[in-house]
Amino acid sequence: QIDHFGFDEDHTFKQRYLVADQYWKKDNGPILFYTGNEGDITWFCNNTGFMWDVAEELEAMLVFAEHRYYGESLPFGNESFSDSKHLNYLTSEQALADFAVLVEYLKSSIAGARHSPVIAIGGSYGGMLAAWFRMKYPHVVVGALAASAPIWQFNDLVPCGTFFSIVTNDFKKSGTGCSESIRNSWNAINHLSSTDAGLQWLSNTFHLCSPLKNLQDAAVLKNWLSETWVNLAMVNYPYKADFLQPLPAWPIQEVCKFLKDPSLSDKALLQNVFRAVNLYYNYTGEASCLDVSQTATKSLGEMGWYYQTCTEMVMPLCTDGVHDMFEPQKWDFDALSEECHRMWGVRPRLSWILSMYGGKNINSHSNIIFSNGGLDPWSAGGVTQNITNSLVAVVIPDGAHHLDLRSRNPLDPKSVQQARALEICLMKQWIETARHSH
């Protein structure tokens, strides 16, 4: 159904999902169900090695479900993003209903799956969906692994500045002078962008695909740099990886090698900043210029997510330039609301997510693992302490964004190996309990 909650719009759409059953025990063996997030499902499937690694041990079927409005699961085809009418059905509630209907369909149509216990697994927004799936449809999934799920990054549940102070800390720990160099770079850009010659110099130095023409363009450049530092914090993995971009092991340490001296002149400092971001965008050496409109892989559906942040996913973030290395920016809900109205013709609802999913008042739920990495800025809005004995927090000090969901790797830190062992142990318990109750 395009709309699960009303009866006027009764059209349907094709939802894509991937199934791997080579290890599945045909007689009601468990199903690990990946709650797809904001992007193409094949990409998440290829980046969630943990599920593939445990399939054999748990004799589990793997299902990766694509989130509506992303990848190929477009409710209105090419028209899906044409206006707010067509976008009206892009919500987490509709997506969870899709997942519930899909699970019921699979159980009724696959021989031997009728009583299979289903465990929801997801990372980031997908992790939020996994947790919420267990909360809202406890009869459909017996438990959830919610990795790097910032379910508390809403309203005033957590301070808006923690996110960026974690990013800063990652850089501070990765090299002397590193976070200070980045903090000093903003004023350097401000000085240079005040003249046409300076804008020209910045465009050339950063090898930009389209030259900076004015202060607005310079602001876009600064935003792009901020997002790059944030992305590096998310993918600061202990081995070579290509999650958002192809990168070396511990990429922040590599980036910080260029940023040792914060006391350089404006131009010398920014030449080093260019070398640092060039490592992120051009590690393979194939880029002829850098495009400030692109910060992550094309597999992420940025348009859809932008719409979601303009409706339900209102996550307050702010910086002060003291506890973090960024330019001070207060959280401004009204400005967001105006921008969203201009872009999509909709306005965000600030506290709807709390009404819908309970904010911090979730101790009536059960069987959810919340895992968070100490290096991951999103842990700022995550559950990092046990709430009850079945709402369990797993903290991975050396982990970046959902490191535990990635494939096992010889370079994995001990903390993530232990986290996975605990996650598998709890999942086995849920499966056992489900079997007995059936």
Side-chain angles (χ1 to χ4, degrees):
Q1 295 292 140
I2 285 175
D3 182 11
H4 293 284
F5 303 108
F7 292 83
D8 188 51
E9 167 61 80
D10 65 348
H11 285 90
T12 56
F13 72 101
K14 282 195 160 81
Q15 180 181 22
R16 182 165 61 151
Y17 61 94
L18 316 174
V19 177
D21 60 3
Q22 57 268 49
Y23 297 117
W24 184 54
K25 182 159 148 260
K26 294 236 175 337
D27 182 22
N28 295 322
I31 298 173
L32 303 183
F33 186 93
Y34 186 89
T35 45
N37 29 336
E38 71 286 26
D40 187 298
I41 194 60
T42 55
W43 183 66
F44 289 106
C45 175
N46 290 333
N47 278 286
T48 312
F50 171 74
M51 283 172 60
W52 298 91
D53 291 343
V54 301
E56 194 168 4
E57 185 180 345
L58 298 178
E59 298 177 304
M61 182 195 302
L62 305 183
V63 178
F64 292 84
E66 190 160 67
H67 192 301
R68 53 169 57 210
Y69 287 87
Y70 294 102
E72 292 176 12
S73 301
L74 301 172
F76 300 101
N78 297 339
E79 295 289 287
S80 298
F81 285 85
S82 55
D83 56 36
S84 60
K85 274 268 176 296
H86 288 89
L87 275 163
N88 195 38
Y89 306 100
L90 171 48
T91 64
S92 61
E93 294 86 336
Q94 298 277 10
L96 292 175
D98 290 339
F99 297 156
V101 169
L102 175 56
V103 170
E104 294 299 342
Y105 165 73
L106 293 171
K107 286 183 141 193
S108 62
S109 61
I110 296 173
R114 191 83 212 93
H115 302 292
S116 288
V118 182
I119 293 173
I121 297 180
S124 202
Y125 169 50
M128 292 154 79
L129 291 170
W132 294 337
F133 197 14
R134 170 63 185 166
M135 292 176 192
K136 292 289 174 190
Y137 297 92
H139 55 291
V140 176
V141 286
V142 300
L145 167 54
S148 300
I151 61 164
W152 289 345
Q153 193 65 53
F154 294 95
N155 222 338
D156 51 3
L157 299 181
V158 297
C160 61
T162 311
F163 179 95
F164 285 102
S165 61
I166 294 173
V167 177
T168 303
N169 218 18
D170 290 352
F171 283 83
K172 206 181 244 144
K173 286 190 306 212
S174 297
T176 322
C178 194
S179 62
E180 294 79 8
S181 293
I182 293 171
R183 188 183 277 119
N184 293 349
S185 70
W186 311 118
N187 272 335
I189 293 173
N190 294 343
H191 293 155
L192 282 158
S193 55
S194 60
T195 68
D196 286 345
L199 287 166
Q200 181 69 54
W201 184 88
L202 285 167
S203 307
N204 296 340
T205 303
F206 280 91
H207 295 254
L208 300 182
C209 301
S210 41
L212 309 175
K213 300 262 195 321
N214 49 39
L215 286 175
Q216 278 88 342
D217 291 352
V220 170
L221 172 71
K222 290 192 292 185
N223 267 341
W224 175 74
L225 288 169
S226 296
E227 260 187 65
T228 307
W229 308 133
V230 168
N231 285 348
L232 275 160
M234 282 167 53
V235 296
N236 196 21
Y237 297 130
Y239 44 74
K240 271 175 84 151
D242 59 0
F243 184 54
L244 296 179
Q245 294 279 355
L247 290 171
W250 297 118
I252 294 184
Q253 286 180 16
E254 298 302 312
V255 157
C256 285
K257 289 176 183 170
F258 300 113
L259 300 170
K260 289 178 175 153
D261 187 357
S263 62
L264 293 169
S265 71
D266 287 354
K267 286 187 171 178
L269 180 67
L270 291 174
Q271 280 166 333
N272 286 344
V273 168
F274 164 71
R275 289 188 187 106
V277 293
N278 195 49
L279 180 112
Y280 178 78
Y281 290 106
N282 197 16
Y283 183 55
T284 55
E286 285 164 19
S288 54
C289 63
L290 300 187
D291 176 2
V292 293
S293 67
Q294 183 72 30
T295 58
T297 166
K298 297 265 196 296
S299 306
L300 280 176
E302 290 189 348
M303 245 173 62
W305 182 247
Y306 191 20
Y307 172 83
Q308 287 190 266
T309 60
C310 273
T311 49
E312 301 186 301
M313 297 293 150
V314 188
M315 302 191 185
L317 296 171
C318 62
T319 51
D320 62 10
V322 180
H323 301 94
D324 57 65
M325 60 186 189
F326 297 89
E327 279 191 301
Q329 194 158 25
K330 286 192 162 60
W331 163 244
D332 186 344
F333 177 72
D334 296 333
L336 173 76
S337 182
E338 286 310 316
E339 168 73 1
C340 291
H341 193 257
R342 195 180 60 74
M343 279 287 297
W344 306 105
V346 297
R347 293 196 185 273
R349 291 180 194 161
L350 189 54
S351 50
W352 170 240
I353 285 284
L354 275 60
S355 309
M356 186 65 198
Y357 301 115
K360 289 200 169 179
N361 185 11
I362 56 174
N363 52 359
S364 57
H365 301 294
S366 64
N367 293 7
I368 305 174
I369 303 164
F370 295 100
S371 64
N372 279 285
L375 306 177
D376 180 18
W378 290 110
S379 66
V383 179
T384 50
Q385 286 174 325
N386 292 357
I387 298 175
T388 64
N389 59 4
S390 77
L391 295 176
V392 180
V394 175
V395 176
I396 306 161
D398 315 305
H401 204 43
H402 49 68
L403 175 64
D404 50 330
L405 291 191
R406 297 180 60 78
S407 295
R408 290 181 182 135
N409 188 293
L411 296 171
D412 276 333
K414 194 116 204 100
S415 59
V416 78
Q417 296 170 357
Q418 291 166 332
R420 288 189 191 122
L422 177 58
E423 290 162 3
I424 294 165
C425 175
L426 289 167
M427 291 199 287
K428 284 179 174 168
Q429 285 174 25
W430 299 339
I431 292 164
E432 231 8 74
T433 310
R435 283 229 172 89
H436 287 309
S437 67
H438 165 64

